[in-house]
């Protein structure tokens, strides 16, 4: 039997069996395709080029520090299903760093990158891993301190919405709501993970109530990033 082929159509399969959640292709299916190998990309070079495109001048040094940080994290932090130190994570940090660079042109570039690394990674780490992560950042960026960001009306509205739900505005809850919002600003897919009773539902309900209250009060909505990545925020 002859099949009429469409020369404008082709099928490609990417195989990465070592990656989380991936499995090997069956031999009978693999035999129908022509295999070819791929090289691991140079993360440092990619980060350097993207940092240059985002407006950074000292991109070479910053790219080396960033890729070194992810290498140390993958070696020293605990193994969790939602931890990802690959190109997706690198790309999301670079997008956030570029946004911070444009909104804070007077800040030091290493301070801007340090804040992007902290804000994009800290929400997904377990409590015991945050200490190691902050130590890694201090080793790579010695003597640098990130000034605390003043969230102003956003923070006060979060506290008000927490009280309206007859809950206590604990600092850990407020911080997690802010982290949830900032993660949604740079990634399309976000998951809240944690044990039963950890506050997952309350976190997203408080954030929804906060954004609704701010919109009703006439505060403008920030533009969201176009980075199509996903993140998980543990509430542990």
């Amino acid at each position: 039997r002859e099949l009429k082929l469409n020369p404008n159509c082709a099928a490609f399969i990417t195989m990465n069996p070592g990656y989380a959640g991936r499995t090997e292709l069956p031999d009978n299916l693999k035999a129908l395709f022509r295999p070819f190998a791929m090289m691991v990309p140079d993360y440092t070079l990619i980060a350097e080029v993207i940092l240059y495109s985002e407006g950074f001048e000292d991109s070479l040094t910053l790219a080396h520090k960033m890729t070194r940080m992810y290498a140390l994290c993958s070696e020293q932090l605990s193994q969790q299903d939602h931890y990802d130190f690959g190109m997706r994570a690198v790309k999301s940090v670079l997008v956030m760093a570029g946004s911070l660079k444009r909104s804070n042109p007077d800040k030091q570039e290493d301070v801007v990158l340090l804040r992007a690394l902290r804000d994009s990674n800290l929400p997904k780490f377990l409590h015991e891993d945050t200490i190691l992560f902050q130590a890694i950042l201090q080793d790579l960026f010695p003597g640098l301190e990130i000034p605390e960001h003043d969230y102003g009306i956003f923070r006060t509205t979060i506290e008000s919405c927490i009280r309206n739900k007859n809950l206590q505005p604990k600092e850990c809850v407020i911080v997690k709501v802010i982290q949830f919002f900032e993660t949604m600003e740079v990634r399309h897919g976000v998951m809240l993970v944690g044990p039963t009773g950890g506050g997952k539902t309350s976190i997203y309900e408080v954030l929804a109530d906060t954004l609704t209250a701010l919109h009703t009060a006439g505060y403008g909505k920030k533009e969201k990033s176009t980075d199509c990545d996903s993140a998980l925020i543990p509430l542990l």
Side-chain angles (χ1 to χ4, degrees):
R1 182 182 177 184
E2 293 185 359
L3 296 176
K4 186 177 181 180
L5 299 179
N6 184 349
N8 297 319
C9 178
F12 297 89
I13 300 177
T14 58
M15 295 184 295
N16 193 358
Y19 201 78
R22 307 291 173 84
T23 57
E24 189 72 63
L25 274 182
D27 291 336
N28 58 343
L29 180 59
K30 191 187 301 184
L32 301 177
F33 291 83
R34 180 185 302 171
F36 59 95
M38 303 289 291
M39 292 177 58
V40 176
D42 187 342
Y43 284 18
T44 303
L45 179 60
I46 294 174
E48 179 187 356
V49 172
I50 296 179
L51 284 172
Y52 273 125
S53 68
E54 295 285 359
F56 287 82
E57 297 180 0
D58 192 18
S59 297
L60 178 60
T61 302
L62 296 178
H64 277 287
K65 287 186 176 183
M66 186 179 71
T67 52
R68 182 57 182 161
M69 187 216 74
Y70 277 112
L72 291 172
C73 286
S74 62
E75 295 170 0
Q76 299 184 16
L77 300 189
S78 64
Q79 300 296 316
Q80 303 293 330
D81 291 338
H82 65 277
Y83 284 7
D84 181 15
F85 304 114
M87 182 51 64
R88 293 182 183 88
V90 172
K91 182 64 167 59
S92 65
V93 170
L94 295 173
V95 170
M96 178 180 285
S99 176
L100 292 173
K101 172 68 173 176
R102 289 185 291 274
S103 59
N104 301 276
D106 57 327
K107 297 289 185 182
Q108 291 179 258
E109 291 185 345
D110 47 1
V111 173
V112 173
L113 180 62
L114 178 58
R115 181 183 172 190
L117 288 169
R118 184 197 66 179
D119 292 351
S120 63
N121 287 287
L122 202 58
K124 67 184 177 184
F125 291 142
L126 302 182
H127 177 70
E128 51 268 25
D129 285 333
T130 59
I131 301 174
L132 287 173
F133 175 69
Q134 291 172 342
I136 291 173
L137 290 182
Q138 290 175 359
D139 290 341
L140 293 174
F141 299 88
L144 281 184
E145 292 187 5
I146 306 175
E148 290 298 325
H149 185 68
D150 182 13
Y151 290 96
I153 187 64
F154 184 51
R155 182 186 176 92
T156 57
T157 306
I158 290 175
E159 295 175 357
S160 176
C161 291
I162 292 176
R163 292 191 181 95
N164 291 339
K165 295 176 69 65
N166 295 320
L167 301 174
Q168 296 180 5
K170 295 286 188 178
E171 181 65 22
C172 59
V173 178
I174 297 172
V175 169
K176 192 58 67 173
V177 173
I178 294 174
Q179 290 178 344
F180 185 31
F181 173 75
E182 290 182 337
T183 304
M184 292 179 65
E185 288 292 289
V186 296
R187 299 188 178 187
H188 288 319
V190 181
M191 294 179 65
L192 290 168
V193 297
T196 301
K200 302 183 294 296
T201 303
S202 296
I203 292 299
Y204 79 75
E205 286 181 348
V206 167
L207 179 58
D209 294 343
T210 300
L211 297 179
T212 301
L214 291 174
H215 179 76
T216 304
Y219 290 93
K221 180 182 178 183
K222 294 170 63 179
E223 291 186 2
K224 299 187 73 173
S225 170
T226 57
D227 185 9
C228 54
D229 199 0
S230 61
L232 296 95
I233 302 177
L235 301 177
L236 300 175

